[in-house]
Amino acid sequence: MVLLFDSGCKLCNSSIKFVTKGDKKQQIKQIPLSSVEGAAIVAKYPSLQNINSIIFIANNKLFIESDAIIEIAKQLSFPYKLLAAGRLVPKKWRDTIYKWIAKNRYHWFGRVSN
C-alpha cells in the first residue's frame, strides 16, 4: 500500500504522523508527491495527472480525496480505524469538505520550510 502526499504542507505532514501512529503493522509506505519515487508512481497512472489530492493505492486500486482518507483509516489499528465510519457521509459532502480544506490548507496551516 502506498500513500502519496504533499510534503510541503504542514497539515499533510501532521496527517502522515497520525497515519504512522495508527499503522502498527507498518504496511503503508508513505511517499512525498514531490519525490522522484512519487513522480514515477504518478506517471504510471494517467488518471492521477493534475490531481491535487492525497492519493492512496491499495491492491492496484486508486483512491483520492475523502475516499483515500477512508481507505487509509480502514488499514489503521483501533481506535484510528473508526475514522472509516466517514463512509456513512455521502461522498459528495465528504469531497466538498475535503476540497474546501485542501484549498485553504496552506493559508490555515502553513507550508513546511526547507
Side-chain angles (χ1 to χ4, degrees), residues 22-108:
D23 184 17
K24 301 290 186 201
K25 296 178 185 175
Q26 298 181 341
Q27 57 189 352
I28 301 172
K29 184 174 183 180
Q30 303 159 4
I31 303 171
L33 278 165
S34 60
S35 70
V36 173
E37 188 176 6
I41 292 169
V42 169
K44 289 180 188 177
Y45 296 93
S47 63
L48 294 180
Q49 305 306 314
N50 301 314
I51 295 287
N52 185 16
S53 170
I54 188 171
I55 300 167
F56 186 60
I57 304 168
N59 300 319
N60 292 320
K61 291 179 76 177
L62 297 173
F63 302 94
I64 61 169
E65 298 176 342
S66 66
D67 287 339
I69 293 169
I70 289 168
E71 290 301 318
I72 292 164
K74 288 169 143 181
Q75 305 305 317
L76 302 180
S77 61
F78 183 83
Y80 307 99
K81 70 171 38 255
L82 294 175
L83 292 173
R87 71 178 164 259
L88 299 174
V89 175
K91 180 175 172 45
K92 183 174 181 174
W93 295 1
R94 287 187 278 125
D95 283 345
T96 298
I97 293 167
Y98 178 93
K99 289 173 185 175
W100 176 63
I101 293 170
K103 180 181 175 182
N104 292 290
R105 69 185 188 264
Y106 296 125
H107 178 72
W108 293 340

Coordinates of all heavy atoms in Angstrom, one line a residue, residues 22-108:
G22 N -1.0 5.2 13.8 CA -2.1 4.2 13.7 C -1.7 3.0 12.9 O -2.4 2.0 12.9
D23 N -0.6 3.0 12.1 CA -0.2 1.9 11.2 C 0.8 1.0 12.0 O 1.9 1.0 11.7 CB 0.4 2.5 10.0 CG 0.8 1.4 8.9 OD1 0.3 0.3 9.1 OD2 1.6 1.7 8.0
K24 N 0.2 0.3 13.0 CA 1.1 -0.5 13.8 C 1.8 -1.6 13.1 O 2.9 -2.0 13.5 CB 0.2 -1.2 14.9 CG -0.5 -0.2 15.8 CD 0.4 0.6 16.7 CE -0.5 1.4 17.7 NZ 0.3 2.5 18.2
K25 N 1.2 -2.1 12.0 CA 1.9 -3.2 11.2 C 2.9 -2.6 10.2 O 3.5 -3.3 9.4 CB 0.8 -4.0 10.5 CG -0.1 -4.7 11.4 CD -1.1 -5.5 10.6 CE -2.1 -6.2 11.6 NZ -3.2 -6.8 10.8
Q26 N 3.0 -1.3 10.1 CA 3.8 -0.6 9.1 C 3.7 -1.1 7.7 O 4.6 -1.4 7.0 CB 5.3 -0.7 9.6 CG 5.5 0.0 10.9 CD 7.0 -0.1 11.3 OE1 7.8 -0.9 10.9 NE2 7.3 0.8 12.3
Q27 N 2.4 -1.1 7.3 CA 2.1 -1.7 6.0 C 1.9 -0.6 4.9 O 1.8 -0.9 3.7 CB 0.9 -2.6 6.1 CG -0.3 -1.9 6.6 CD -1.5 -2.9 6.9 OE1 -1.4 -4.1 6.5 NE2 -2.5 -2.5 7.6
I28 N 1.8 0.7 5.3 CA 1.6 1.8 4.4 C 2.9 2.5 4.2 O 3.4 3.1 5.1 CB 0.5 2.7 4.9 CG1 -0.8 2.0 5.2 CG2 0.3 3.9 4.0 CD1 -1.9 2.9 5.9
K29 N 3.3 2.5 2.9 CA 4.5 3.2 2.5 C 4.1 4.6 2.2 O 3.2 4.9 1.4 CB 5.2 2.5 1.3 CG 6.5 3.2 0.9 CD 7.2 2.4 -0.2 CE 8.5 3.0 -0.5 NZ 9.2 2.3 -1.5
Q30 N 4.8 5.6 2.8 CA 4.4 7.0 2.7 C 5.5 7.7 1.8 O 6.7 7.6 2.1 CB 4.4 7.7 4.0 CG 3.4 7.0 5.0 CD 3.7 7.3 6.4 OE1 4.6 8.0 6.8 NE2 2.9 6.7 7.3
I31 N 5.0 8.3 0.7 CA 6.0 8.8 -0.3 C 5.5 10.2 -0.6 O 4.3 10.4 -1.0 CB 6.0 8.0 -1.6 CG1 6.4 6.5 -1.2 CG2 6.9 8.6 -2.6 CD1 6.2 5.6 -2.4
P32 N 6.4 11.2 -0.5 CA 6.0 12.6 -1.0 C 5.8 12.6 -2.5 O 6.5 12.0 -3.3 CB 7.3 13.4 -0.6 CG 8.0 12.6 0.4 CD 7.7 11.2 0.1
L33 N 4.7 13.3 -2.9 CA 4.4 13.5 -4.3 C 5.6 14.2 -5.0 O 5.8 13.9 -6.2 CB 3.1 14.4 -4.4 CG 1.8 13.6 -4.3 CD1 0.7 14.6 -4.1 CD2 1.6 12.8 -5.5
S34 N 6.3 15.0 -4.4 CA 7.4 15.8 -5.0 C 8.6 15.0 -5.1 O 9.6 15.5 -5.8 CB 7.6 17.1 -4.2 OG 8.0 16.7 -2.9
S35 N 8.7 13.8 -4.6 CA 9.9 13.0 -4.7 C 10.0 12.3 -6.1 O 9.0 12.2 -6.8 CB 9.9 11.9 -3.6 OG 8.9 10.9 -3.8
V36 N 11.2 11.8 -6.4 CA 11.4 11.1 -7.7 C 10.5 9.9 -7.7 O 9.8 9.6 -8.7 CB 12.9 10.7 -7.9 CG1 13.1 9.8 -9.1 CG2 13.7 12.0 -8.0
E37 N 10.5 9.2 -6.6 CA 9.6 7.9 -6.5 C 8.1 8.3 -6.6 O 7.4 7.6 -7.3 CB 9.9 7.2 -5.1 CG 9.3 5.9 -5.0 CD 9.6 5.2 -3.7 OE1 10.2 5.7 -2.8 OE2 9.2 4.0 -3.6
G38 N 7.7 9.4 -6.0 CA 6.3 9.8 -6.1 C 5.9 10.2 -7.5 O 4.9 9.7 -8.0
A39 N 6.8 10.9 -8.2 CA 6.6 11.3 -9.6 C 6.5 10.1 -10.5 O 5.7 10.0 -11.4 CB 7.6 12.3 -10.0
A40 N 7.3 9.1 -10.2 CA 7.3 7.8 -11.0 C 6.0 7.1 -10.8 O 5.5 6.5 -11.8 CB 8.5 7.0 -10.6
I41 N 5.5 7.0 -9.6 CA 4.3 6.3 -9.4 C 3.1 7.1 -10.1 O 2.3 6.4 -10.7 CB 4.0 6.2 -7.9 CG1 5.0 5.2 -7.2 CG2 2.6 5.7 -7.6 CD1 5.0 5.2 -5.7
V42 N 3.1 8.4 -9.9 CA 2.0 9.2 -10.6 C 2.1 9.0 -12.1 O 1.0 8.9 -12.7 CB 2.1 10.6 -10.2 CG1 1.2 11.5 -11.0 CG2 1.8 10.8 -8.7
A43 N 3.3 8.9 -12.7 CA 3.4 8.7 -14.1 C 2.8 7.4 -14.6 O 2.4 7.3 -15.8 CB 4.9 8.8 -14.5
K44 N 2.8 6.4 -13.7 CA 2.2 5.1 -14.1 C 0.7 5.1 -14.3 O 0.1 4.2 -14.9 CB 2.6 4.0 -13.1 CG 4.0 3.7 -13.0 CD 4.2 2.6 -12.0 CE 5.7 2.3 -11.8 NZ 5.9 1.3 -10.7
Y45 N 0.1 6.1 -13.7 CA -1.4 6.2 -13.6 C -1.9 7.5 -14.3 O -1.9 8.6 -13.7 CB -1.9 6.2 -12.2 CG -1.6 4.9 -11.5 CD1 -0.5 4.8 -10.7 CD2 -2.5 3.8 -11.5 CE1 -0.2 3.6 -10.0 CE2 -2.3 2.6 -10.9 CZ -1.1 2.5 -10.1 OH -0.8 1.4 -9.4
P46 N -2.2 7.4 -15.6 CA -2.7 8.7 -16.3 C -3.8 9.4 -15.6 O -3.9 10.6 -15.7 CB -3.1 8.1 -17.7 CG -2.4 6.8 -17.8 CD -2.3 6.3 -16.4
S47 N -4.6 8.7 -14.9 CA -5.8 9.4 -14.2 C -5.3 10.3 -13.0 O -6.1 11.1 -12.5 CB -6.8 8.3 -13.7 OG -6.2 7.5 -12.7
L48 N -4.0 10.1 -12.6 CA -3.5 10.9 -11.5 C -2.9 12.2 -11.9 O -2.5 13.0 -11.1 CB -2.5 10.1 -10.7 CG -3.1 8.9 -10.0 CD1 -2.0 8.2 -9.2 CD2 -4.2 9.3 -9.0
Q49 N -2.7 12.4 -13.2 CA -2.1 13.6 -13.7 C -3.0 14.8 -13.3 O -4.2 14.8 -13.4 CB -2.0 13.6 -15.3 CG -1.2 12.4 -15.8 CD 0.2 12.2 -15.1 OE1 0.9 13.1 -15.0 NE2 0.4 11.0 -14.7
N50 N -2.4 15.8 -12.8 CA -3.0 17.1 -12.3 C -4.0 16.9 -11.2 O -4.9 17.7 -10.9 CB -3.8 17.7 -13.5 CG -2.9 18.1 -14.7 OD1 -1.8 18.6 -14.4 ND2 -3.3 17.7 -15.9
I51 N -3.8 15.8 -10.4 CA -4.6 15.6 -9.2 C -3.9 16.3 -8.0 O -2.7 16.1 -7.8 CB -4.7 14.1 -8.8 CG1 -5.5 13.4 -9.9 CG2 -5.3 13.9 -7.5 CD1 -7.0 13.6 -9.9
N52 N -4.6 17.2 -7.3 CA -4.0 17.9 -6.2 C -4.7 17.3 -4.9 O -5.6 18.0 -4.4 CB -4.2 19.4 -6.3 CG -3.6 20.1 -5.2 OD1 -2.7 19.6 -4.5 ND2 -4.0 21.4 -5.0
S53 N -4.4 16.1 -4.6 CA -5.1 15.4 -3.5 C -4.1 14.4 -2.9 O -3.1 14.0 -3.5 CB -6.3 14.7 -4.1 OG -6.9 13.8 -3.2
I54 N -4.5 13.9 -1.7 CA -3.9 12.8 -1.2 C -4.2 11.6 -2.1 O -5.3 11.5 -2.6 CB -4.4 12.5 0.3 CG1 -3.6 11.4 1.0 CG2 -5.8 12.2 0.3 CD1 -3.8 11.3 2.5
I55 N -3.3 10.7 -2.3 CA -3.5 9.5 -3.1 C -3.1 8.3 -2.3 O -2.1 8.2 -1.7 CB -2.6 9.6 -4.4 CG1 -3.0 10.9 -5.2 CG2 -2.8 8.4 -5.3 CD1 -2.0 11.2 -6.3
F56 N -4.0 7.3 -2.4 CA -3.8 6.1 -1.7 C -3.9 4.9 -2.7 O -4.9 4.9 -3.4 CB -4.7 5.9 -0.5 CG -4.4 4.7 0.3 CD1 -3.2 4.5 1.0 CD2 -5.4 3.7 0.5 CE1 -3.0 3.4 1.8 CE2 -5.1 2.6 1.3 CZ -3.9 2.4 1.9
I57 N -3.0 4.1 -2.8 CA -3.0 2.9 -3.7 C -2.9 1.7 -2.9 O -2.0 1.4 -2.1 CB -1.8 3.0 -4.7 CG1 -1.8 4.3 -5.5 CG2 -2.0 1.8 -5.7 CD1 -0.6 4.6 -6.3
A58 N -4.0 0.8 -3.0 CA -4.0 -0.5 -2.3 C -4.5 -1.5 -3.3 O -5.6 -1.3 -3.9 CB -4.9 -0.4 -1.1
N59 N -3.8 -2.6 -3.4 CA -4.2 -3.7 -4.3 C -4.5 -3.2 -5.7 O -5.5 -3.5 -6.4 CB -5.4 -4.4 -3.8 CG -5.2 -5.0 -2.4 OD1 -4.1 -5.6 -2.2 ND2 -6.2 -4.9 -1.5
N60 N -3.6 -2.3 -6.2 CA -3.7 -1.7 -7.5 C -4.9 -0.9 -7.8 O -5.3 -0.6 -8.9 CB -3.5 -2.7 -8.6 CG -2.1 -3.3 -8.6 OD1 -1.1 -2.6 -8.5 ND2 -2.0 -4.6 -8.8
K61 N -5.6 -0.5 -6.7 CA -6.8 0.4 -6.8 C -6.4 1.8 -6.3 O -5.7 1.9 -5.3 CB -7.9 -0.1 -6.0 CG -8.6 -1.4 -6.5 CD -9.7 -1.9 -5.7 CE -10.9 -1.1 -5.9 NZ -12.1 -1.6 -5.2
L62 N -6.8 2.8 -7.0 CA -6.5 4.2 -6.6 C -7.7 4.8 -5.8 O -8.8 4.6 -6.2 CB -6.4 5.0 -7.9 CG -5.2 4.6 -8.8 CD1 -5.3 5.4 -10.1 CD2 -3.9 4.9 -8.1
F63 N -7.3 5.6 -4.8 CA -8.3 6.3 -4.0 C -7.7 7.7 -3.9 O -6.6 7.9 -3.6 CB -8.4 5.7 -2.6 CG -8.9 4.2 -2.7 CD1 -8.0 3.2 -2.7 CD2 -10.2 3.9 -2.8 CE1 -8.4 1.9 -2.7 CE2 -10.6 2.6 -2.9 CZ -9.7 1.6 -2.8
I64 N -8.6 8.7 -4.1 CA -8.2 10.1 -3.9 C -9.3 10.8 -3.0 O -10.4 10.2 -2.7 CB -8.1 10.9 -5.2 CG1 -9.4 10.9 -6.0 CG2 -7.0 10.3 -6.0 CD1 -9.4 11.9 -7.2
E65 N -8.9 12.0 -2.5 CA -9.8 12.8 -1.7 C -10.3 12.0 -0.5 O -9.6 11.3 0.2 CB -10.9 13.4 -2.6 CG -10.3 14.3 -3.6 CD -11.3 14.9 -4.6 OE1 -12.4 14.4 -4.7 OE2 -10.9 15.9 -5.3
S66 N -11.6 12.2 -0.2 CA -12.1 11.6 1.0 C -12.1 10.1 1.0 O -12.0 9.4 2.0 CB -13.6 12.1 1.3 OG -14.5 11.7 0.3
D67 N -12.2 9.5 -0.2 CA -12.1 8.0 -0.4 C -10.8 7.5 0.1 O -10.7 6.5 0.7 CB -12.4 7.6 -1.8 CG -13.8 7.7 -2.2 OD1 -14.7 7.7 -1.3 OD2 -14.1 7.7 -3.4
A68 N -9.7 8.3 -0.2 CA -8.4 7.9 0.2 C -8.3 7.9 1.8 O -7.8 7.0 2.4 CB -7.3 8.8 -0.4
I69 N -8.8 8.9 2.4 CA -8.8 9.0 3.8 C -9.5 7.8 4.5 O -9.1 7.2 5.4 CB -9.4 10.4 4.3 CG1 -8.5 11.5 3.8 CG2 -9.6 10.4 5.8 CD1 -9.0 12.9 4.0
I70 N -10.7 7.5 3.9 CA -11.5 6.3 4.5 C -10.7 5.0 4.3 O -10.6 4.2 5.2 CB -12.9 6.3 3.8 CG1 -13.7 7.5 4.4 CG2 -13.6 5.0 4.1 CD1 -15.0 7.7 3.7
E71 N -10.1 4.8 3.1 CA -9.4 3.6 2.8 C -8.2 3.5 3.7 O -7.8 2.4 4.2 CB -9.0 3.5 1.4 CG -10.2 3.3 0.5 CD -11.0 2.0 0.8 OE1 -10.3 0.9 1.0 OE2 -12.2 2.0 0.7
I72 N -7.5 4.6 4.0 CA -6.3 4.6 4.9 C -6.8 4.2 6.3 O -6.2 3.4 6.9 CB -5.6 6.0 4.9 CG1 -5.0 6.2 3.5 CG2 -4.6 6.1 6.0 CD1 -4.6 7.7 3.3
A73 N -7.9 4.9 6.7 CA -8.4 4.6 8.1 C -8.7 3.1 8.3 O -8.5 2.5 9.3 CB -9.6 5.4 8.3
K74 N -9.2 2.5 7.2 CA -9.5 1.0 7.3 C -8.3 0.2 7.6 O -8.4 -0.9 8.2 CB -10.1 0.5 6.0 CG -11.5 1.0 5.7 CD -11.9 0.7 4.3 CE -13.2 0.2 4.0 NZ -13.4 -0.1 2.6
Q75 N -7.1 0.7 7.2 CA -5.9 -0.1 7.4 C -5.3 0.2 8.8 O -4.3 -0.5 9.2 CB -4.9 0.3 6.3 CG -5.4 0.1 4.9 CD -5.9 -1.3 4.7 OE1 -5.3 -2.2 5.1 NE2 -7.0 -1.4 4.0
L76 N -5.7 1.2 9.5 CA -5.1 1.5 10.8 C -5.6 0.7 11.9 O -6.7 0.0 11.8 CB -5.3 3.0 11.1 CG -4.8 4.0 10.0 CD1 -5.1 5.4 10.4 CD2 -3.3 3.8 9.7
S77 N -4.9 0.7 13.0 CA -5.3 0.0 14.2 C -6.4 0.8 15.0 O -6.7 1.9 14.7 CB -4.1 -0.2 15.2 OG -3.6 1.0 15.6
F78 N -7.1 0.1 15.9 CA -8.1 0.7 16.7 C -7.4 1.7 17.6 O -6.3 1.4 18.1 CB -8.9 -0.4 17.5 CG -10.0 0.2 18.4 CD1 -11.2 0.4 17.8 CD2 -9.8 0.5 19.7 CE1 -12.3 0.9 18.5 CE2 -10.8 1.0 20.4 CZ -12.1 1.2 19.9
P79 N -7.9 2.9 17.9 CA -9.2 3.4 17.5 C -9.2 4.2 16.2 O -10.2 4.7 15.8 CB -9.5 4.4 18.7 CG -8.2 4.9 19.1 CD -7.2 3.7 18.9
Y80 N -8.0 4.3 15.6 CA -7.9 5.1 14.4 C -8.8 4.6 13.2 O -9.3 5.4 12.5 CB -6.4 5.1 13.9 CG -5.5 5.6 15.0 CD1 -4.8 4.6 15.7 CD2 -5.3 6.9 15.3 CE1 -3.9 5.0 16.7 CE2 -4.5 7.3 16.3 CZ -3.8 6.3 17.0 OH -2.9 6.7 18.0
K81 N -9.0 3.3 13.2 CA -9.8 2.8 12.1 C -11.3 3.2 12.2 O -12.1 3.1 11.3 CB -9.7 1.3 12.0 CG -10.3 0.5 13.1 CD -10.3 -1.0 12.8 CE -9.2 -1.6 12.1 NZ -9.0 -2.1 10.9
L82 N -11.7 3.8 13.3 CA -13.1 4.3 13.5 C -13.4 5.4 12.5 O -14.5 5.7 12.2 CB -13.3 4.7 14.9 CG -13.3 3.6 16.0 CD1 -13.5 4.2 17.4 CD2 -14.4 2.6 15.7
L83 N -12.3 6.1 12.1 CA -12.5 7.2 11.1 C -13.1 6.7 9.8 O -13.7 7.4 9.0 CB -11.2 7.9 10.8 CG -10.6 8.7 12.0 CD1 -9.2 9.2 11.6 CD2 -11.5 9.8 12.3
A84 N -13.0 5.4 9.5 CA -13.6 4.8 8.3 C -15.1 4.9 8.3 O -15.8 4.8 7.3 CB -13.2 3.4 8.2
A85 N -15.7 5.2 9.5 CA -17.1 5.4 9.6 C -17.6 6.7 8.8 O -18.7 6.8 8.5 CB -17.6 5.6 11.0
G86 N -16.6 7.5 8.4 CA -16.9 8.6 7.5 C -17.5 8.2 6.2 O -18.2 9.0 5.5
R87 N -17.4 6.9 5.8 CA -18.1 6.5 4.6 C -19.6 6.5 4.7 O -20.3 6.5 3.7 CB -17.6 5.1 4.2 CG -18.1 4.0 5.1 CD -17.6 2.6 4.7 NE -17.8 1.7 5.8 CZ -16.9 1.2 6.6 NH1 -15.7 1.6 6.4 NH2 -17.2 0.4 7.5
L88 N -20.1 6.7 5.9 CA -21.6 6.9 6.1 C -22.1 8.2 5.6 O -23.2 8.4 5.3 CB -21.9 6.6 7.5 CG -21.6 5.2 8.1 CD1 -21.9 5.2 9.6 CD2 -22.4 4.2 7.4
V89 N -21.1 9.2 5.5 CA -21.5 10.5 5.0 C -21.5 10.4 3.5 O -20.6 9.8 2.9 CB -20.4 11.5 5.5 CG1 -20.7 12.9 4.9 CG2 -20.4 11.6 7.0
P90 N -22.4 11.0 2.8 CA -22.5 11.0 1.3 C -21.2 11.5 0.7 O -20.6 12.5 1.2 CB -23.7 11.9 1.0 CG -24.5 11.8 2.2 CD -23.6 11.7 3.3
K91 N -20.7 10.8 -0.3 CA -19.4 11.1 -1.0 C -19.4 12.6 -1.4 O -18.3 13.2 -1.3 CB -19.2 10.2 -2.1 CG -17.9 10.5 -2.9 CD -17.6 9.4 -3.9 CE -16.5 9.8 -4.8 NZ -15.3 10.2 -4.2
K92 N -20.4 13.1 -2.0 CA -20.5 14.4 -2.4 C -20.2 15.4 -1.3 O -19.4 16.4 -1.4 CB -21.8 14.8 -3.1 CG -21.9 16.2 -3.7 CD -23.2 16.4 -4.4 CE -23.2 17.8 -5.0 NZ -24.4 18.0 -5.8
W93 N -20.7 15.2 -0.1 CA -20.5 16.0 1.0 C -19.0 15.9 1.5 O -18.4 16.9 1.8 CB -21.4 15.7 2.2 CG -22.9 15.9 1.9 CD1 -23.5 16.4 0.8 CD2 -23.9 15.7 2.9 NE1 -24.8 16.5 1.0 CE2 -25.1 16.0 2.2 CE3 -24.0 15.2 4.2 CZ2 -26.4 15.9 2.9 CZ3 -25.2 15.1 4.8 CH2 -26.4 15.5 4.1
R94 N -18.6 14.6 1.6 CA -17.2 14.4 2.1 C -16.2 15.1 1.1 O -15.3 15.7 1.6 CB -16.9 12.9 2.0 CG -17.5 12.1 3.1 CD -17.0 10.6 3.1 NE -17.7 9.8 2.1 CZ -17.1 9.1 1.2 NH1 -15.8 9.1 1.1 NH2 -17.8 8.4 0.3
D95 N -16.4 14.9 -0.2 CA -15.4 15.5 -1.1 C -15.5 17.0 -1.1 O -14.5 17.7 -1.3 CB -15.6 14.9 -2.5 CG -15.0 13.5 -2.6 OD1 -14.2 13.1 -1.8 OD2 -15.4 12.9 -3.6
T96 N -16.7 17.6 -0.9 CA -16.8 19.0 -0.8 C -16.0 19.6 0.4 O -15.3 20.6 0.2 CB -18.3 19.4 -0.7 OG1 -19.0 19.0 -1.9 CG2 -18.5 20.9 -0.5
I97 N -16.2 18.9 1.5 CA -15.4 19.3 2.7 C -13.9 19.1 2.5 O -13.1 20.0 2.8 CB -15.9 18.6 3.9 CG1 -17.3 19.0 4.3 CG2 -15.0 18.8 5.1 CD1 -18.0 18.1 5.3
Y98 N -13.5 18.0 1.9 CA -12.1 17.7 1.6 C -11.5 18.8 0.7 O -10.5 19.4 1.0 CB -12.0 16.4 0.9 CG -10.5 16.1 0.6 CD1 -9.7 15.4 1.4 CD2 -10.0 16.6 -0.6 CE1 -8.4 15.2 1.1 CE2 -8.7 16.4 -0.9 CZ -7.9 15.7 0.0 OH -6.5 15.5 -0.4
K99 N -12.2 19.2 -0.4 CA -11.7 20.2 -1.3 C -11.6 21.6 -0.7 O -10.7 22.3 -0.9 CB -12.6 20.2 -2.6 CG -12.5 19.0 -3.4 CD -13.5 19.0 -4.6 CE -13.4 17.7 -5.4 NZ -14.4 17.6 -6.4
W100 N -12.6 21.9 0.2 CA -12.5 23.2 0.9 C -11.3 23.2 1.8 O -10.6 24.2 1.8 CB -13.8 23.3 1.7 CG -13.9 24.6 2.6 CD1 -13.9 25.9 2.1 CD2 -14.0 24.6 4.0 NE1 -14.0 26.7 3.2 CE2 -14.1 26.0 4.3 CE3 -14.1 23.7 5.0 CZ2 -14.2 26.4 5.6 CZ3 -14.2 24.1 6.3 CH2 -14.3 25.4 6.6
I101 N -11.1 22.2 2.6 CA -9.9 22.1 3.4 C -8.6 22.2 2.6 O -7.7 22.9 2.9 CB -9.9 20.9 4.4 CG1 -11.1 21.0 5.4 CG2 -8.6 20.7 5.1 CD1 -11.3 19.8 6.2
A102 N -8.5 21.3 1.5 CA -7.4 21.3 0.7 C -7.1 22.7 0.1 O -5.9 23.1 0.0 CB -7.6 20.2 -0.4
K103 N -8.1 23.4 -0.4 CA -7.9 24.7 -1.0 C -7.3 25.7 0.0 O -6.6 26.6 -0.4 CB -9.3 25.2 -1.5 CG -9.2 26.5 -2.1 CD -10.6 26.9 -2.6 CE -10.6 28.4 -3.1 NZ -11.9 28.8 -3.5
N104 N -7.7 25.5 1.3 CA -7.2 26.5 2.3 C -6.1 26.0 3.2 O -5.7 26.7 4.1 CB -8.4 26.9 3.2 CG -9.5 27.7 2.4 OD1 -9.2 28.8 2.0 ND2 -10.6 27.0 2.1
R105 N -5.6 24.8 2.9 CA -4.6 24.2 3.9 C -3.3 25.1 4.1 O -2.8 25.1 5.2 CB -4.3 22.8 3.4 CG -3.4 22.7 2.1 CD -3.3 21.2 1.8 NE -2.4 21.0 0.7 CZ -2.7 20.9 -0.6 NH1 -4.0 21.0 -0.9 NH2 -1.8 20.7 -1.5
Y106 N -2.8 25.7 3.0 CA -1.6 26.5 3.2 C -1.9 27.7 4.0 O -1.1 28.2 4.8 CB -1.0 26.9 1.9 CG -0.5 25.7 1.1 CD1 -1.0 25.5 -0.2 CD2 0.4 24.8 1.6 CE1 -0.5 24.4 -1.0 CE2 0.8 23.7 0.8 CZ 0.4 23.5 -0.5 OH 0.8 22.5 -1.2
H107 N -3.0 28.3 3.8 CA -3.4 29.6 4.5 C -3.6 29.3 5.9 O -3.2 30.0 6.8 CB -4.7 30.2 3.8 CG -5.2 31.4 4.5 ND1 -4.5 32.6 4.4 CD2 -6.3 31.6 5.3 CE1 -5.2 33.5 5.1 NE2 -6.3 32.9 5.7
W108 N -4.3 28.2 6.2 CA -4.7 27.9 7.6 C -3.5 27.3 8.4 O -3.4 27.5 9.6 CB -5.9 26.9 7.7 CG -7.2 27.5 7.2 CD1 -7.5 28.8 7.1 CD2 -8.3 26.7 6.8 NE1 -8.8 28.9 6.6 CE2 -9.3 27.7 6.4 CE3 -8.6 25.4 6.6 CZ2 -10.5 27.3 5.9 CZ3 -9.8 25.0 6.2 CH2 -10.8 25.9 5.8

